Amino acid sequence: MQTHTMHQDCERILLTEEQINSRVREIAEAVDRDYQGKNPLVVGILKGSIIFYADFVRRLTMPVELDFMAVSSYGSGTVSSGKLKIRKDLDRDVKGRDVIIVEDIIDSGFTLANLKALLMERGASSVRIATLLNKAARREYDIAPDYNCFYIENEFVIGYGLDYNEQYRHLPYIGVLKREVYEK
Ligand code: IMP
Ligand code: MG
């Protein structure tokens, strides 16, 4: 088994590759059971969800279609503009579709609350959310994931798709970023 040395900007590893793999598998099996006989549109939110998305969809056994969106939110940290900016829209029409949104992390909930409302407004017959991480204590918007891999504390995490300044997305584990990296 290949071992990875921890990146020097990590304070500690929060979730190992093994922990992530087994939990993603459990979540995907639950989705697989719930959507048998359907043909869901699985929507990955770029770029943070890509690693989770790739591991997740490979566990599904029903017919699925893959699509992606890129959005920017002004919802967390700064004062919310109350609007989600779509930087890349879906290729497929969601009308009458069962949509599963795949996201890296739900923090304030701004992104997913807005996205879910938008897809419902466009006529999706159902919209559910699968998220890798859930910072439940940070929630400001009334939204909860239907499938959640891990609850985490209010710490800034990187790896397995998640970035700080576009760095660290490729790390195979989830680590806590050293404060000195973003405070300098
Ligand atoms: P929300 O709209 O406040 O729920 O923010 C969700 C987005 O914030 C995620 O898609 C991430 O891009 C970003 N985010 C929140 N917390 C973290 C973190 O700890 N690490 C990396 N990105 C984060
Ligand atoms: Mg993101």
Side-chain angles (χ1 to χ4, degrees), residues 45-49 71-73 87 103-105 111 161-163 169:
I45 308 306
L46 299 171
K47 299 175 225 173
S49 76
V71 298
S72 15
S73 90
R87 289 191 284 114
E103 176 62 307
D104 54 357
I105 184 166
T111 307
L162 290 110
D163 75 309
R169 292 193 196 275

Side-chain angles (χ1 to χ4, degrees), residues 63-169:
V64 295
E65 286 173 47
L66 313 187
D67 209 344
F68 299 92
M69 274 180 105
V71 298
S72 15
S73 90
Y74 308 100
S76 47
T78 57
V79 179
S80 172
S81 71
K83 194 120 177 77
L84 191 73
K85 186 170 179 234
I86 298 170
R87 289 191 284 114
K88 184 233 173 284
D89 210 335
L90 296 169
D91 295 331
R92 307 293 282 162
D93 188 357
V94 298
K95 210 179 188 72
R97 301 298 304 268
D98 294 304
V99 176
I100 304 169
I101 301 175
V102 178
E103 176 62 307
D104 54 357
I105 184 166
I106 176 164
D107 188 39
S108 73
F110 175 85
T111 307
L112 286 172
N114 280 279
L115 212 47
K116 184 172 180 174
L118 176 73
L119 299 182
M120 291 305 292
E121 207 175 284
R122 289 182 181 178
S125 50
S126 70
V127 178
R128 284 191 187 168
I129 294 163
T131 182
L132 178 67
L133 303 173
N134 189 348
K135 281 185 186 172
R138 297 256 308 161
R139 202 62 26 83
E140 291 169 38
Y141 295 81
D142 183 26
I143 189 92
D146 302 278
Y147 306 95
N148 173 43
C149 297
F150 301 99
Y151 285 100
I152 65 165
E153 299 298 315
N154 184 20
E155 296 178 296
F156 198 86
V157 293
I158 50 166
Y160 197 73
L162 290 110
D163 75 309
Y164 172 68
N165 238 341
E166 293 301 327
Q167 295 291 312
Y168 316 113
R169 292 193 196 275

